[in-house]
Amino acid sequence: MNAAKVLDDLKRRFPNEPEYHQAVEEVLSTIEEEYNKHPEFDKANLIDRLCIPDRVYQFRVTWVDDKGNVQTNMGYRVQHNNAIGPYKGGLRFHSSVNLGILKFLAFEQVFKNSLTTLPMGGGKGGSDFHPRGKSAAEVMRFTQSFMLELWRHIGPDIDVPAGDIGVGGREIGFMYGMYKKLTREFTGTLTGKGLEYGGSLIRPEATGYGTLYFLMEMLKTKGTDLKGKVCAISGSGNVAQYAAEKVLELGGKVVTLSDSDGYIYDPDGIDREKLDYIMELKNLYRGRIREYAEQYACKYVEGAKPWGEKCDVALPCATQNELNGDHAKQLLENGCIAVAEGANMPSTPEAIKAFQEAKILYAPGKAANAGGVAVSGLEMTQNSYRLSWSREEVDAKLKSIMQNIHQACVQYGTEEDGYVNYVKGANVAGFMKVAKAMMAQGIV
Ligand code: NDP
């Protein structure tokens, strides 16, 4: 494989999809050496078949808003690769959603799911529908209409969607209700369901908790832990909230959170009571992070990211490309020793380069945030068995999966000087399993 040529071809065939190109480039640059040790891979043109999704569904979603106006949005499902299990990956509802973004997420998901060791292929979907400012009735009408198209493409052994940005328990519930009505089946086709109808304990917490379990493993390699460490977190949604909760449990201090409007800086630390306020503000009232600064009289910075604030650990948990080269420089100058990504691809290539050149601990999302999909996989297992595991059982399995992913990264990513390149480790480990499965299944 010539990685540069593969990437040029993809850019020519699929122009105007920069995030997809960015995700592919990162993976190719790290697996090229390993790939080229296997001439049989090239003979089977494995790389094109791995980079290009199996199929993409695109559809119009029509719904009626509260004023009686007819609205249209686009809906998508990218089924990227099912070599090791049914397609699996979240649905994102956000105004920025387009095919290129979903292709990057689906591509990443293939490697992430492989790393979990559970039998799950990779997919992703969503819509440019923006839930912010919409009433609950509007969200329900939209999600029902979305499912009217999506249902025929998914199923417990075909494709199992979950949540992502803009899709939480409420949206999954509405979609599951419509799916059930259309198919007349009660199966585990969506994950992130409510506990009353097949959801798994720890699923809401899983991505944030998993990121912290991974971070703890990284810190352990340096003989340290989180006690007394100052953490900067971005986002204030599902992943950020439970990352913050686990930081508190592990003895760290959270000083920032953000949303798409700006960030708050609380030098005293966001304690349990303040975090409860944020959870209520965000999950119940769907308010803005600015309101926290008003409540607790601390700094709020409009239109900026939190990476200029001094911290030991940075946990980007909002969205892609939210931490650039300049931010990375600021973090390093301020003494940051570890970055673990709760979000997908939050660091730009320049930022990753800066972290790795400085040889600090840096974990890419596909390793550090794999806990979410891992517990989704456990939810699928429980649904198939028609039973549910206790909180302690699921949490123990999550912790063990994150430790195994860390171990795989160390195995495949340790460089000659002992530095662990977690990007390389995650990509090579995730890739090899999928590649072997694809080879065994012939040219399809
Ligand atoms: P939520 O919708 O619950 O929260 C997203 C948070 O990020 C909100 O605070 C939101 O602010 C902020 N945000 C979203 N878009 C932007 C943007 N363009 N610029 C700045 N801030 C933004 O989503 P999740 O917490 O579920 O997801 C966060 C990240 O984690 C995503 O990258 C997702 O792909 C990834 N992830 C999620 C998993 C899960 O299980 N949920 C699993 C693995 C990864 P606002 O409220 O203003 O929109």
Side-chain angles (χ1 to χ4, degrees):
M1 177 213 341
N2 175 339
K5 183 175 175 311
V6 175
L7 192 68
D8 280 351
D9 282 351
L10 278 187
K11 285 182 178 169
R12 188 178 42 76
R13 292 168 87 178
F14 309 106
N16 307 318
E17 296 182 354
E19 293 86 0
Y20 171 54
H21 305 153
Q22 182 183 336
V24 171
E25 184 167 12
E26 184 226 81
V27 169
L28 294 189
S29 66
T30 50
I31 65 166
E32 188 172 14
E33 194 186 326
E34 191 63 32
Y35 185 95
N36 287 335
K37 288 183 193 159
H38 299 268
E40 70 278 15
F41 288 176
D42 227 24
K43 212 163 158 222
N45 195 6
L46 200 73
I47 206 64
D48 269 6
R49 291 160 55 214
L50 190 70
C51 292
I52 301 171
D54 288 352
R55 68 190 66 79
V56 175
Y57 297 108
Q58 267 191 71
F59 45 88
R60 189 189 71 246
V61 184
T62 309
W63 57 283
V64 182
D65 69 19
D66 285 348
K67 295 194 181 104
N69 299 317
V70 178
Q71 302 284 351
T72 59
N73 284 101
M74 284 307 297
Y76 307 87
R77 186 70 184 167
V78 180
Q79 295 184 336
H80 198 98
N81 186 296
N82 66 350
I84 62 171
Y87 301 106
K88 178 93 196 86
L91 295 169
R92 176 176 291 193
F93 292 168
H94 193 268
S95 52
S96 64
V97 163
N98 58 41
L99 190 54
I101 289 182
L102 295 177
K103 279 170 71 178
F104 119 62
L105 290 163
F107 177 76
E108 290 274 296
Q109 196 82 44
V110 174
F111 300 91
K112 184 191 302 189
N113 294 2
S114 167
L115 280 172
T116 66
T117 70
L118 301 175
M120 299 182 289
K124 201 85 188 188
S127 173
D128 58 359
F129 171 80
H130 201 60
R132 182 168 161 188
K134 305 286 193 303
S135 71
E138 287 176 323
V139 170
M140 182 167 72
R141 286 197 293 277
F142 168 78
T143 49
Q144 290 178 335
S145 183
F146 180 80
M147 192 47 85
L148 222 43
E149 280 291 333
L150 186 68
W151 76 277
R152 68 189 84 242
H153 307 304
I154 60 178
D157 298 317
I158 301 170
D159 183 349
V160 184
D164 190 77
I165 291 179
V167 178
R170 176 182 70 172
E171 290 74 20
I172 292 288
F174 292 155
M175 281 191 276
Y176 191 71
M178 195 60 173
Y179 177 80
K180 196 167 56 69
K181 191 174 179 82
L182 291 164
T183 57
R184 294 177 296 140
E185 281 179 3
F186 195 102
T187 58
T189 295
L190 290 163
T191 59
K193 299 187 288 299
L195 284 179
E196 303 79 9
Y197 59 97
S200 175
L201 286 160
I202 300 283
R203 177 60 190 93
E205 297 89 339
T207 310
Y209 279 17
T211 303
L212 267 294
Y213 293 152
F214 195 92
L215 173 70
M216 289 299 280
E217 292 302 304
M218 293 205 296
L219 291 173
K220 216 189 277 175
T221 67
K222 301 282 176 201
T224 184
D225 60 21
L226 208 58
K227 283 196 194 77
K229 297 224 167 34
V230 174
C231 301
I233 301 182
S234 65
S236 50
N238 172 270
V239 180
Q241 290 173 17
Y242 288 105
E245 182 167 290
K246 203 41 120 181
V247 170
L248 297 187
E249 262 179 49
L250 293 166
K253 181 172 168 184
V254 179
V255 292
T256 72
L257 284 172
S258 70
D259 60 22
S260 48
D261 294 340
Y263 78 89
I264 50 122
Y265 174 67
D266 185 342
D268 296 335
I270 298 167
D271 61 17
R272 182 69 249 182
E273 187 205 312
K274 293 172 176 175
L275 186 56
D276 286 342
Y277 169 83
I278 287 168
M279 287 181 166
E280 205 173 292
L281 175 73
K282 285 289 171 184
N283 308 342
L284 221 59
Y285 303 114
R286 299 184 188 268
R288 311 306 303 158
I289 200 71
R290 171 182 20 89
E291 295 168 51
Y292 176 97
E294 290 156 13
Q295 176 79 8
Y296 293 105
C298 72
K299 179 165 109 178
Y300 169 70
V301 187
E302 179 93 16
K305 314 282 182 208
W307 313 124
E309 304 296 347
K310 190 169 167 47
C311 63
D312 303 305
V313 172
L315 300 167
C317 296
T319 193
Q320 65 275 359
N321 293 328
E322 56 163 318
L323 196 167
N324 63 26
D326 291 337
H327 297 134
K329 225 174 120 207
Q330 283 178 301
L331 283 169
L332 291 168
E333 278 168 9
N334 282 332
C336 176
I337 59 160
V339 180
E341 296 182 341
N344 284 309
M345 209 168 77
S347 306
T348 63
E350 296 73 29
I352 298 172
K353 192 162 174 274
F355 294 143
Q356 292 183 332
E357 278 176 5
K359 304 228 180 243
I360 65 160
L361 297 167
Y362 165 70
K366 69 167 79 66
N369 71 35
V373 74
V375 174
S376 274
L378 300 178
E379 182 172 331
M380 288 165 73
T381 308
Q382 293 170 79
N383 291 163
S384 299
Y385 279 164
R386 298 196 191 281
L387 52 71
S388 49
W389 293 325
S390 70
R391 196 179 161 83
E392 291 71 27
E393 275 175 287
V394 181
D395 198 28
K397 286 186 203 309
L398 168 64
K399 196 180 261 180
S400 149
I401 289 170
M402 298 314 294
Q403 287 168 341
N404 289 339
I405 296 175
H406 182 269
Q407 189 47 41
C409 290
V410 171
Q411 184 185 338
Y412 289 98
T414 303
E415 294 178 341
E416 275 173 14
D417 62 357
Y419 177 68
V420 181
N421 181 336
Y422 287 91
V423 178
K424 183 177 177 198
N427 288 340
V428 174
F431 162 74
M432 283 309 286
K433 183 176 172 188
V434 177
K436 284 179 188 168
M438 287 175 74
M439 290 303 292
Q441 292 168 20
I443 309 292
V444 286

